Amino acid sequence: SVFVPFICFGQGDFRKMSWGESVEDLKIAYPEVQFDKGFEDGFDMLTHSGNLIGIETQIVYAFSENKLVAGFYYLDPFDNYKDSKLRLKDYMSISSRLKEKYSMINEDEWIVTTWKGKPNYLDFAVYQGDVFLIERTEIEDTRIVHSLGKESDGLQHLLVYASYEWVQIMQLEQSDDF
């Protein structure tokens, strides 16, 4: 697998790419990478496996009308048995790197507050689905959201870099749901 240094954050909007660049631009930026192609929620998704500070990662590029609008890191997407303590440790490692570079705002969502304020039980609270850990920031036209929480298929650790255009599309879709 390809080692992806953390340094590439900030060079462009997501991993050497800038918002609005095309699929062809992505293939030129990473000629050695074999991308898997998918289509989800109206977006063309190009993915490949990688590594982020030692954590196995699915790296996803989202395109709308052949323009890059978002990038994601799905951390340990295939390891449903990874211990919640280790997942929390990974979350905290990435969080500290993000905080060195950006002013991240913590917006944890507590569903059940039994373990709130008890850091020794945070991994258990995440595992139970009692809390969804979220931190975010906005830099120019990029929104960065880092999260760890329980989904139907286990714990999901996600780091998203989204363009203003992606945010608008998502907000419009949510308002169309009503």
Side-chain angles (χ1 to χ4, degrees):
S1 89
V2 179
F3 177 70
V4 179
F6 225 76
I7 291 86
C8 47
F9 289 172
Q11 297 173 344
D13 297 304
F14 182 71
R15 299 179 47 81
K16 297 187 203 170
M17 296 286 293
S18 295
W19 304 136
E21 287 191 285
S22 69
V23 171
E24 294 72 29
D25 295 325
L26 175 64
K27 291 177 179 175
I28 291 167
Y30 294 97
E32 74 290 353
V33 175
Q34 279 294 106
F35 293 97
D36 294 321
K37 293 181 180 134
F39 190 77
E40 198 173 308
D41 298 327
F43 296 96
D44 290 306
M45 303 287 198
L46 272 72
T47 59
H48 70 96
S49 295
N51 187 304
L52 189 64
I53 65 167
I55 305 164
E56 275 191 48
T57 304
Q58 274 298 104
I59 302 166
V60 181
Y61 299 84
F63 292 87
S64 174
E65 298 171 7
N66 199 29
K67 289 191 293 230
L68 181 66
V69 292
F72 311 85
Y73 293 98
Y74 282 103
L75 296 121
D76 269 329
F78 307 116
D79 188 353
N80 293 332
Y81 302 102
K82 188 166 190 177
D83 181 274
S84 59
K85 280 185 178 18
L86 291 174
R87 286 201 184 262
L88 182 61
K89 183 176 173 269
D90 289 347
Y91 179 86
M92 294 304 190
S93 294
I94 289 174
S95 177
S96 72
R97 298 275 184 108
L98 288 168
K99 286 176 179 163
E100 284 172 17
K101 192 155 183 155
Y102 310 113
S103 53
M104 301 297 288
I105 299 161
N106 193 333
E107 297 180 355
D108 297 343
E109 293 176 10
W110 284 88
I111 294 94
V112 177
T113 57
T114 310
W115 308 107
K116 190 173 183 176
K118 298 176 184 164
N120 293 344
Y121 295 96
L122 188 56
D123 67 297
F124 181 72
V126 169
Y127 174 77
Q128 288 292 101
D130 292 352
V131 64
F132 208 86
L133 302 178
I134 301 171
E135 56 186 359
R136 71 180 78 222
T137 193
E138 291 191 27
I139 295 106
E140 293 166 22
D141 61 347
T142 302
R143 179 177 290 178
I144 301 170
V145 181
H146 181 217
S147 63
L148 175 66
K150 189 169 187 168
E151 297 291 341
S152 57
D153 56 350
L155 294 182
Q156 185 179 76
H157 185 182
L158 190 61
L159 177 55
V160 178
Y161 286 69
S163 66
Y164 182 66
E165 185 177 348
W166 168 274
V167 172
Q168 285 184 310
I169 293 168
M170 291 293 114
Q171 288 172 338
L172 189 63
E173 276 188 13
Q174 287 175 346
S175 68
D176 287 348
D177 289 343
F178 293 99

